[in-house]
Amino acid sequence: MKIDASELVDLGRDLADVGVAREVRQVMSKAGVEMKKRARAEAPTGHLPGYARTINYEVLDGGMAVELRPDESGQGLLSAVVEFGQGANAARPHILPQADREAPVAERHIADVLARRIARGR
């Protein structure tokens, strides 16, 4: 699961030009932390006691995107079965919903960063 701001690549360059790229990266990192916490809390435990600990995030694209995903090892390899279900195993969406929940929050924080920069006249 990835919050993707790729449509903002040009904006990303502009943000770097006005010196807010670091602040945007911090916003995206915070979004990753929040998504990770919620996904881990919502992940099933039962037969997969170590699965939740495999869920991590990575900030990508110079701070313009954050990706949430289980590690590709151990119980993390079962993420597709857990998220989408298979056979008698019902779907337990816990990763994909996080972007929908966090994107509006991240957008507000980025707008605040820009508003502060504009207010300072830089």
Side-chain angles (χ1 to χ4, degrees):
M1 163 53 12
K2 181 178 180 181
I3 293 179
D4 185 2
S6 61
E7 69 276 4
L8 300 175
V9 170
D10 289 335
L11 176 59
R13 287 187 204 108
D14 293 341
L15 294 175
D17 290 345
V18 296
V20 296
R22 180 184 56 81
E23 293 171 90
V24 171
R25 182 177 175 77
Q26 290 172 339
V27 168
M28 296 306 281
S29 183
K30 173 81 168 140
V33 168
E34 294 302 317
M35 291 190 308
K36 178 180 85 169
K37 283 196 284 192
R38 282 195 309 267
R40 285 181 172 190
E42 295 173 16
T45 52
H47 297 293
L48 300 171
Y51 172 71
R53 288 189 306 274
T54 71
I55 299 170
N56 290 298
Y57 75 95
E58 181 179 2
V59 178
L60 305 167
D61 300 331
M64 289 285 108
V66 62
E67 183 174 73
L68 179 70
R69 67 180 180 286
D71 298 334
E72 295 180 358
S73 63
Q75 293 183 346
L77 291 171
L78 299 171
S79 64
V81 173
V82 175
E83 186 79 18
F84 302 108
Q86 181 182 36
N89 299 310
R92 296 282 307 269
H94 58 288
I95 293 176
L96 291 175
Q98 303 314 321
D100 291 336
R101 293 178 187 152
E102 195 61 32
V105 175
E107 289 170 3
R108 277 195 309 273
H109 288 297
I110 291 170
D112 290 345
V113 166
L114 294 173
R116 284 192 305 270
R117 181 56 58 141
I118 290 168
R120 288 191 301 236
R122 296 183 201 167

